[in-house]
Amino acid sequence: MAKMGSRKHLKRFKSPEHWPIHPKENKWTVKPSAGPHSIEESLPLLIIVRDILKVAENSREAKIIIGNGDILVDGRARKDYKFPVGFMDVIEIPKSEKVYRILPNHKGNLVLYPITKENAEFKLCRIEDKTTIKGGKTQLNLHDGRNCLVEKEYKSGDVVVVEVPEQTVTNHIKFESGTIGLITGGKHIGELGKIKEINVTRSSKSNTVLIETDDKKTFLTLTDYVFVIGKDKPVISLPGGN
């Protein structure tokens, strides 16, 4: 019995710190399915429905709501209560007309921020890698696990604007000086600023980026922690009206 539980569930003490675990869960909690985000960088859909949005009082109710297709992730009904939801994903509840985007706060926790219906029609995806496939087309490998075929030239680190659920690339933001970056890791996680300088090293050390905040303070962070969200201003709505 314990062996079966270990496949379907996760020991509570092994769950990521940012998960707001239900107080009635003791030894076990829900284990995310294999999906677009790792366990450390995601929230299971059941925890979102029950513990964050509180549209269900317990796991049974949450599973029914999810199983009925009442929760959309990036425009698609997800009926797997273990589905991993992560950074930049859009959560929509059509019956209540509420929409949220998942972003990190300053404590490094993934938080659901309310957004407008218009803002929910697209998401931003960072290009982690790209490959050339048969026929000379380019396949982009994006941060949320999806792959897109494109004809234009893009670079790793750039961010594409993707319509959901169609998965059509409609625009892109270059990873370059002058653009607006959201910090997704390190001690400055959740902060926003303009990219002043990109430092490319010729050693085993990681590349870094110099960020300037609105109050003219500057700090260095790793390239991998910078997610560009706009050229002159953010293209997504952010907490605090940014």
Side-chain angles (χ1 to χ4, degrees), residues 92-117:
E92 183 175 358
I93 311 175
K95 288 185 177 180
S96 65
E97 298 185 346
K98 291 183 178 180
V99 194
Y100 307 86
R101 191 184 304 279
I102 294 190
L103 297 170
N105 64 12
H106 293 288
K107 294 181 180 180
N109 299 330
L110 292 175
V111 180
L112 275 69
Y113 289 106
I115 59 176
T116 63
K117 176 65 176 176

Side-chain angles (χ1 to χ4, degrees), residues 20-41:
I21 302 296
H22 194 277
K24 291 184 179 179
E25 282 186 321
N26 297 315
K27 185 176 180 180
W28 299 99
T29 186
V30 60
K31 182 178 182 179
S33 303
H37 302 281
S38 68
I39 185 173
E40 296 82 8
E41 299 175 337

Side-chain angles (χ1 to χ4, degrees), residues 4 19 23 34 39 43 53 86 116 118 132 140-141 161 163 168 172 185 188 200 209 221 232:
M4 181 178 291
W19 286 13
I39 185 173
L43 293 162
L53 296 178
T116 63
E118 292 73 25
T132 302
L140 303 180
N141 309 122
V161 180
E163 284 187 354
T168 304
H172 100 287
H188 294 283
V200 179
V209 178
T221 189
D232 301 311

